[in-house]
Amino acid sequence: MAAINLTTQKIGANEIAVLTFDLPGEKVNKLSSPVMKELQAHLEKLKTSSYKMVLIKSAKPRIFIAGADIEEIRQLTTKDQVVAAVSGGQSIMNMLEDLPMPTMALVNGACAGGGCELILSCDYRIASEDSSTRIGLPETQLGILPGFGGCIRMPRVVGLQAALDVILAGKLLNAKKALKIGLVDYVVHPNLLEGFANQQIEKIIADGAKKRRKVFKPRGLVAKLLEGVLSGVVFSKAKEGVLKATKGHYPAPLAALDVIKKTYGMSDRAKAMSIELAHFAECAVTDISKNLIHVFYLTEMVKKQTGVSDSNIKGKPVKHLGVLGAGTMGGGIAYVAADKGVDVRVKDISHDANAKALKHARDLWAKLMKKKVIDNYQFTQKMSLVSTTVDFSGFKSIDLTVEAIVENMDIKKKVIAQTAAEMRNDAIIVTNTSSLSVNEMSAGHPRPQYFAGMHFFSPVHKMPLVEVIRGEKSSDETIATVFELAKKMGKMPVVVKDGPGFLVNRLLLPYMAEAAFLLSEGMSIEKVDRAYVHQFGMPMGPFELMDSVGLDVCVKVLNIFKKAYPDRVEMPALMEKLEKNKNRMGQKTNLGFYKYNDGRKGEVDQSIYTELGLGNPTNPYSDQECIERGVFAMVNECCLALDQDRIVETPNEVDLAMIMGTGFPPFRGGLTKYADSVGANYIKTQLDKYSSERKANRLKPSSKLVERASKKAKFYN
Ligand SMILES: NC(=O)c1ccc[n+]([C@@H]2O[C@H](COP(=O)([O-])OP(=O)(O)OC[C@H]3O[C@@H](n4cnc5c(N)ncnc54)[C@H](O)[C@@H]3O)[C@@H](O)[C@H]2O)c1
């Protein structure tokens, strides 16, 4: 079956050709090699035909063309292979651009990467205003750059500044934004799309069916200057922005910038295309690109999963959500759920807390309204979805309740039992505990098959990860329901087994503790944090992370961890000292390792060294040692969590959870992908060295790491 159908259509007295993309057996259209071959064959025919116009559209609901086939890109390992594969695509887009008759693309739904490059090769572009319409060039997110002429055509169509914004950030635009920058000519209601296109086609034909090579015309003096004599400033500002955002860890946006700089205004298309191709080939074979594609697959994997292995079991829809506790987490959970259209009932013991939770949600939506992301009507509608109570009124109609009250086992058990009595027998309760045992807590529920953990990360509206904790008695249906709810809330769920720290905190704790040991051995806070951020690529260093978690919380959880694993967990003495100063609990008290002003990070608080009896830092170790001690400590623990305790099933979940829950650098592909890149044996050797040189038992390679090292085992084969 064909992926592209060529049909004809009469418009008035004229006949036009219609190319309809409809990849058989797939939900989305992709520009794979076979599809590109079909396109080429159609274009060969059209080149010599007498059709007045060519219309390009998709038969898939709410999808135009999602992009090139990423699997094909992943398979390319040499530059020659890349050049051979991509140059063909460039020629086909050139053929489309060079057709003798005008061409028009009708976009309803996702139009990304190669799909966007295809519409850029057309003369006219009309998009539907449907919310599924997202247009852009996200290639840099995968460590590559637009390779079918996108770097050359985008600036010509929308101008230099807008093209840089679209290409360097790799974000997709909605129809309104695409119209604003001139990426599409018209935006219409999806039901009117075809009729409107026909009218336009009639006009274009009546006007002589002329080709149009749209060239952006800057309006106003400033725009003219920026496109002309000041374009050098635009490029250097763009480079500065990329370096600031990526700390130099992502070469693709810089390569794209270089292509645009070299080809902007170039009239020799073949030469411009060869520059783009050479840069594309450089990027596509890098480990960084392969790692980013790995991360892309991990997120796609979650979209297809249900959280349970039995494919017959489906989660139940959660239309009414209960939230117990209107504090930091409860307020955040209520906001995110209502934002996605779920009706939320929040119960706290305090009216004040309820009022604060409502204010939190209102403030966040007000910000979105100010930025014109939502309108007044949507604001009111979202607000109306959150109600609060201090009793259990309304809980009979609730499908699932998230418990987010104080972190105390006895209180939680009691409140869970009370709540279960107020809800339907088939309703679910989940706990958001970060450190208590879900299995132990399930004893509070009279029907523990309806109980599980749903561990959000703070701040809830920003952090994408949710750990779905499967208790020993949780039923498959409960897990599938929680998993589905997390996805509905726009989160990335990962199913984990119960155990101290679940997955993410269990791996993070040795890393944070190691930073405290480095500090006690003479390293400065700035130097350690800088090494992690600038050299390794973490979004923040371990000291800033501890400040944001709360130093009291870190100590509390470390103690739980130490109790669970006394043979390998050491509590840094300075953390216990720190905990005594109630004014220094981190960001929440405006003082931790750093000083804060209304939550904004300032300088390191230099008085902390004296307070801890440390003297001036001498920075005795290299950045390499600082990074390896922390990161390898995580890998060490990961081997136990994965190989021994089976907290998650595969390295995929570890990588996804670490990226989504801690911001572990995506360009490294995740913790286990990174471990594979350096090798288990190297990690073991270094940990042996550090544990003996620094007299640190905690850094001794775990039995499972030793096993991996001796077998030269990789997490991914
Ligand atoms: N703060 C974090 O970073 C974070 C992250 C993940 C998980 N958690 C977990 O989430 C839970 C809540 O943490 P938080 O930081 O939001 O705490 P918080 O102190 O900000 O809020 C707790 C709220 O629960 C209310 N509450 C107490 N007893 C109650 C009861 N019987 N019924 C209803 N409400 C009651 C309190 O009035 C308070 O408003 C804890 O289990 C914590 O471990 C916290």
Side-chain angles (χ1 to χ4, degrees), residues 494-509:
V494 170
V495 178
V496 304
K497 243 176 47 182
D498 191 19
F502 310 126
L503 178 68
V504 168
N505 286 345
R506 173 169 173 177
L507 303 191
L508 261 190
L509 280 167

Side-chain angles (χ1 to χ4, degrees), residues 628-629 632 636 680-702 705-706 709:
E628 287 187 347
R629 277 172 57 177
F632 292 176
N636 207 20
N681 199 41
Y682 177 77
I683 298 173
K684 178 196 164 287
T685 309
Q686 292 301 91
L687 284 177
D688 267 332
K689 181 175 114 172
Y690 296 132
S691 68
S692 87
E693 281 177 6
R694 310 298 171 217
K695 302 193 178 23
N697 252 342
R698 65 186 179 277
L699 289 176
K700 278 221 164 101
S702 64
L705 174 63
V706 172

Side-chain angles (χ1 to χ4, degrees), residues 325 327-329 347-348 353 404-405 407 412 415 432 434 455-456 458:
T328 312
M329 298 304 287
K347 179 195 178 299
D348 202 287
I405 63 168
E407 187 77 338
K412 280 193 194 274
V415 171
N432 181 44
S434 43
H455 183 216
F456 290 85
S458 178

